[in-house]
Amino acid sequence: SPRARSAMPSWVIDRYGRNDVLRFTKDMMFPIIDFPNEVIIKVHAASLNPIDLSMRSGYGAAALNMKRDPLKLKSAEAEFPLTLGRDVSGVIMECGLSVSYFKPGDEVWAAIPPWKQGTLSEFVVASGNEVSFKPRCLTHIEAASLPYVGLTAWSAVKQVGGLNQSNCSGKRVLILGASGGVGTFAVQLVKAWGAHVTAVCSHDASTLVKKLGADDVIDYKAGNLEEQLKALPLFDFILDNVGGSTEKWALDLLKKWSGATYVTLVTPFLINMDKLGVADGMLQTGVTVGSKTLKHLLKGVHYRWAFFAPSGPSLDEIAQLVEAGKIQPVIDEVFTFSEVPKAFQKLEGGHARGKTVINVISKK
């Protein structure tokens, strides 16, 4: 039984850096249930997200370490060995005493928050409120591609952006960076809710994005993107997965004084905390978002930042959309568990069409 075992295979890092810091071990400590609401999941499949690359390089370490150990009780070495990977689809092995919703043997999916040990491992521990029943129509490999990007898009579009099933119909939505993991999910989500979707991606991804439901597809390499978008009617909602200079002109594409909202997933929050320390970093970030929000509010549009938020209940709602055929997984490539470094290289190359998935229980 898992209880009798003390170690398991995992991909870990012992320091931050490039791909060569990834190390395979058979001696990673077996996860234990510390709180009564936790469950242990046997990982069948996991997937990679840009945050895994960032975390491998040490981005956000100051904030994540504070979250892992707010009272600084552990030694500085406690953050390593660190297991990356946020998405999991698998089977519940063990439940804490207060978990009534799940039982061993249940097939589940989840996105594990970045301050916890990740899913590139044989087993992972999660809070019951982060976990949801896997959609029955998906395999574990398909299911593992959705939770992190799905919850990030859900947070940006619904929680922060205020769009939902009842108010989205007929709204003009612009998605910048539409062919990546979050983009492919967001296109399908707002389309399922009845929006008119304009998607920006490169030409070779346009067929995929159209298939997912985008009404207009703009190739950002075919001339000046700003000019191409300004030729279109104004938008009610913009989701920005790209950041950079886009922010300087994208807000001008919104309808003024109509409640139109720009939501960006590219925020300086963790960079500020790495550079300035936790307190000053949070202060600097607060000042930045406050001043930007006010500046744009005076111009008649809403400016917002969005973050990934772990949530079993939101995954339940996403599962319903998947079961109804409204959202499908978009998988770029599947790697075996022994090929994790290759999967990281693939992700680092950029230009993904959907997700990079790891088949954890493949024996190769």
Side-chain angles (χ1 to χ4, degrees):
S1 86
R3 270 211 185 86
R5 298 172 47 178
S6 57
M8 62 176 178
S10 273
W11 281 94
V12 298
I13 60 172
D14 303 300
R15 59 192 165 86
Y16 298 119
R18 300 191 64 76
N19 225 19
D20 56 356
V21 299
L22 288 165
R23 170 174 73 89
F24 179 73
T25 174
K26 289 192 163 163
D27 300 323
M28 187 61 178
M29 207 177 84
F30 197 85
I32 47 176
I33 288 179
D34 285 322
F35 299 100
N37 71 330
E38 288 182 329
V39 297
I40 292 176
I41 301 169
K42 180 170 173 55
V43 181
H44 282 236
S47 76
L48 296 185
N49 296 283
I51 188 169
D52 294 304
L53 290 177
S54 307
M55 285 176 69
R56 188 201 64 195
S57 310
Y59 163 81
L64 296 173
N65 283 335
M66 187 191 82
K67 182 76 180 170
R68 286 179 191 120
D69 185 17
L71 302 177
K72 303 253 190 296
L73 300 177
K74 299 173 189 162
S75 69
E77 284 75 54
E79 68 188 284
F80 298 114
L82 180 64
T83 309
L84 301 173
R86 308 275 46 105
D87 289 302
V88 56
S89 181
V91 174
I92 299 240
M93 296 297 292
E94 212 176 315
C95 297
L97 292 172
S98 71
V99 175
S100 56
Y101 199 60
F102 302 105
K103 62 185 186 310
D106 285 342
E107 296 199 334
V108 294
W109 62 344
I112 312 291
W115 52 89
K116 294 186 179 179
Q117 285 290 30
T119 59
L120 295 177
S121 206
E122 192 181 9
F123 295 91
V124 69
V125 70
S127 302
N129 58 0
E130 293 161 358
V131 179
S132 161
F133 289 108
K134 173 182 86 64
R136 281 192 290 275
C137 60
L138 298 185
T139 65
H140 285 294
I141 286 180
E142 290 170 331
S145 70
L146 285 171
Y148 190 86
V149 293
L151 289 170
T152 304
W154 192 263
S155 154
V157 171
K158 192 174 186 191
Q159 262 99 358
V160 175
L163 294 183
N164 57 49
Q165 209 170 344
S166 57
N167 67 10
C168 202
S169 184
K171 289 233 164 90
R172 287 184 54 77
V173 173
L174 172 65
I175 295 173
L176 298 159
S179 64
V182 175
T184 52
F185 188 96
V187 168
Q188 296 182 81
L189 179 62
V190 293
K191 196 68 210 165
W193 288 344
H196 178 284
V197 182
T198 302
V200 175
C201 59
S202 66
H203 175 69
D204 57 345
S206 61
T207 310
L208 164 71
V209 174
K210 275 203 175 96
K211 200 177 98 194
L212 296 175
D215 299 282
D216 297 324
V217 179
I218 307 288
D219 175 6
Y220 66 86
K221 292 176 179 167
N224 183 318
L225 177 60
E226 187 182 347
E227 296 307 317
Q228 289 188 74
L229 289 169
K230 280 189 170 155
L232 299 173
L234 293 171
F235 295 96
D236 299 288
F237 183 87
I238 297 174
L239 175 63
D240 186 355
N241 296 296
V242 180
S245 60
T246 321
E247 202 174 277
K248 293 192 176 72
W249 50 263
L251 283 108
D252 295 334
L253 305 170
L254 288 169
K255 295 175 185 169
K256 307 277 184 286
W257 307 107
S258 66
T261 305
Y262 166 93
V263 176
T264 177
L265 289 163
V266 185
T267 71
F269 180 60
L270 295 177
I271 297 175
N272 283 344
M273 285 172 86
D274 285 342
K275 271 209 286 221
L276 305 170
V278 171
D280 289 348
M282 287 175 89
L283 187 67
Q284 177 62 51
T285 305
V287 169
T288 309
V289 73
S291 60
K292 284 186 176 182
T293 304
L294 188 63
K295 182 179 98 177
H296 293 301
L297 207 53
L298 295 172
K299 294 182 188 171
V301 294
H302 296 287
Y303 174 96
R304 300 272 189 274
W305 285 351
F307 297 92
F308 158 79
S311 166
S314 296
L315 278 177
D316 291 344
E317 292 189 63
I318 291 169
Q320 287 175 357
L321 288 165
V322 172
E323 298 273 16
K326 299 279 175 66
I327 286 177
Q328 47 192 301
V330 182
I331 295 173
D332 194 19
E333 198 169 343
V334 180
F335 292 86
T336 62
F337 196 43
S338 60
E339 297 175 317
V340 163
K342 257 170 87 176
F344 268 88
Q345 275 170 340
K346 160 87 184 157
L347 187 64
E348 217 157 3
H351 303 296
R353 306 283 167 257
K355 291 297 298 289
T356 302
V357 181
I358 315 288
N359 182 0
V360 175
I361 56 167
S362 65
K363 290 291 174 264
K364 272 191 254 174

